[in-house]
Amino acid sequence: MIMKREIKHIGVFTSGGDAPGMNAALFAVAKTAEKYGIQLSGIRRGFEGLIDNDLIPLSANQLQRVMHHGGTILKTARSNRFMSVQGREKALQTINKNGIDGLIAIGGDGTFRGMLSLSSISDTPFIGIPGTIDNDIAGTDYTLGFDSAVNTAIRCIDNIRDTAESHNRVFLVEVMGRDSGYIGIYSGLSCGADSILIPESADDITYLLKKIKNYHSEDAFIVVVAEGDNLDVEQVSSEIRKVNTHIDLRIAKLGHIQRGGSPSAQDRMLGIRIGALATKALLQGESGKMAGLCNNQPTLSNFEERIMQSLVESEFQDLLRLFCD
Ligand code: F6P
């Protein structure tokens, strides 16, 4: 028998930026809950729905049919109201009123911080699932949505390359990632970018300027700029123009196109594996843990430590120097 404590009703929600694979994680939670005879409620719009008592029943049968869609069937939000004590107290009322005795929160670091503040006024057990395209959560090989976002970025940059090669143009392509350079590194290296600028590396602009100074429009020149870099794309563009006045340069900001779309196989499997892990962990009496994959193995880790940003490892910094300098 798997259950060590009496959990009869689980509430699950998605919060923060949507990420491809969230629906797969919801499917896995629903399937596992059904298997163990546990009632499952979906809380719509993240912490907003918890405050507003916006709950719907969820079934595995329903979720099985939407797993291939990006976004989240539960909708999501960034909740300012949850930052206040009153907001959190209203959320607690929803938990108590509905007899929810376990929570699964799918989201990024903001979601995890929210769960920690809720846990200071509630002893309701909870498990977190890392869902964000940014890949900025420590304690898991990848976050849900990262792989799909990188693949989308790659498709876009490949398209841009066609134009860049045809016109011998310089393109600055801005990718998402907030303060993390992972999407930048993965998409930039995979597309053969000439330069990649990420927040974790302060010197990369110096290398870029040195390289582009002697560029004479003989080919395409593609620069991938992570949105959290010390300089934004417009600033990078004006720095380039200072050292090379003759180039034909365009800026392309990929923006939210990277967040949507059908989840990759890797994100679907990640959602399924850690969704099942999170649900079983809750039923086994775990709380305050994040369900992730470490070295491709399902792993529970301590929640507080998970919020620390996962920085781009030195291996990738070395690759940057090797391929882009
Ligand atoms: O955290 C995911 C993310 O897409 C970041 O990469 C980006 O900085 C941010 O969300 C954009 O947020 P919003 O959709 O609220 O503008």
Side-chain angles (χ1 to χ4, degrees), residues 2-20:
I2 193 168
M3 287 177 65
K4 282 193 186 155
R5 62 187 298 165
E6 200 56 16
I7 288 192
K8 294 185 184 149
H9 185 184
I10 292 176
V12 64
F13 64 90
T14 49
S15 169
D18 60 291

Side-chain angles (χ1 to χ4, degrees), residues 17 78 132-134 176-178 183 227 256 259:
R78 303 192 193 279
T132 165
I133 63 165
D134 299 336
M176 275 190 168
R178 206 181 285 275
I183 297 179
E227 65 173 352
H256 287 82
R259 268 231 312 258

Side-chain angles (χ1 to χ4, degrees), residues 185 313-325:
I185 297 242
E313 297 98 341
S314 57
E315 180 211 342
F316 291 115
Q317 307 262 10
D318 292 347
L319 286 175
L320 270 191
R321 299 284 81 86
L322 184 63
F323 286 89
C324 297
D325 291 350

Side-chain angles (χ1 to χ4, degrees), residues 241-287:
R241 287 187 192 286
K242 282 183 203 163
V243 298
N244 190 329
T245 48
H246 304 296
I247 51 173
D248 189 10
L249 182 149
R250 296 288 187 279
I251 290 174
K253 295 186 183 188
L254 301 189
H256 287 82
I257 200 164
Q258 293 156 97
R259 268 231 312 258
S262 185
S264 65
Q266 179 168 306
D267 277 328
R268 294 182 199 198
M269 282 309 296
L270 180 62
I272 285 171
R273 293 176 78 189
I274 60 180
L277 172 67
T279 316
K280 284 188 201 163
L282 207 51
L283 299 183
Q284 281 165 342
E286 297 281 2
S287 181

Side-chain angles (χ1 to χ4, degrees), residues 138-140 287-292 294 299-306:
T140 186
S287 181
K289 299 275 166 67
M290 185 188 86
C294 286
T299 308
L300 287 178
S301 54
N302 196 316
F303 210 71
E304 276 101 342
E305 291 162 20
R306 302 294 56 98

Side-chain angles (χ1 to χ4, degrees), residues 130-266:
T132 165
I133 63 165
D134 299 336
N135 205 34
D136 59 352
I137 308 268
T140 186
D141 296 342
Y142 300 104
T143 56
L144 263 187
F146 170 68
D147 184 64
S148 307
V150 167
N151 279 299
T152 303
I154 285 174
R155 280 194 298 275
C156 294
I157 300 169
D158 286 347
N159 285 3
I160 287 170
R161 177 176 286 285
D162 289 345
T163 299
E165 296 287 358
S166 304
H167 287 261
N168 286 350
R169 268 184 191 160
V170 176
F171 265 90
L172 303 186
V173 186
E174 184 193 87
V175 297
M176 275 190 168
R178 206 181 285 275
D179 300 322
S180 162
Y182 270 111
I183 297 179
I185 297 242
Y186 269 62
S187 59
L189 285 175
S190 308
C191 290
D194 296 281
S195 179
I196 302 169
L197 309 188
I198 57 164
E200 292 88 343
S201 167
D203 299 336
D204 38 23
I205 183 73
T206 316
Y207 293 109
L208 163 62
L209 295 179
K210 213 165 110 191
K211 197 169 179 179
I212 210 161
K213 199 173 170 183
N214 302 317
Y215 165 79
H216 298 294
S217 303
E218 56 274 30
D219 258 325
F221 193 104
I222 296 190
V223 183
V224 171
V225 185
E227 65 173 352
D229 189 56
N230 310 319
L231 299 178
D232 62 36
V233 266
E234 281 82 12
Q235 290 169 319
V236 175
S237 162
S238 68
E239 290 304 311
I240 289 175
R241 287 187 192 286
K242 282 183 203 163
V243 298
N244 190 329
T245 48
H246 304 296
I247 51 173
D248 189 10
L249 182 149
R250 296 288 187 279
I251 290 174
K253 295 186 183 188
L254 301 189
H256 287 82
I257 200 164
Q258 293 156 97
R259 268 231 312 258
S262 185
S264 65
Q266 179 168 306

Side-chain angles (χ1 to χ4, degrees), residues 104-139:
I104 295 179
I106 307 175
D109 57 346
T111 307
F112 288 6
R113 282 197 186 90
M115 286 312 292
L116 283 177
S117 44
L118 183 64
S119 70
S120 66
I121 56 163
S122 162
D123 58 4
T124 310
F126 66 94
I127 301 287
I129 290 180
T132 165
I133 63 165
D134 299 336
N135 205 34
D136 59 352
I137 308 268

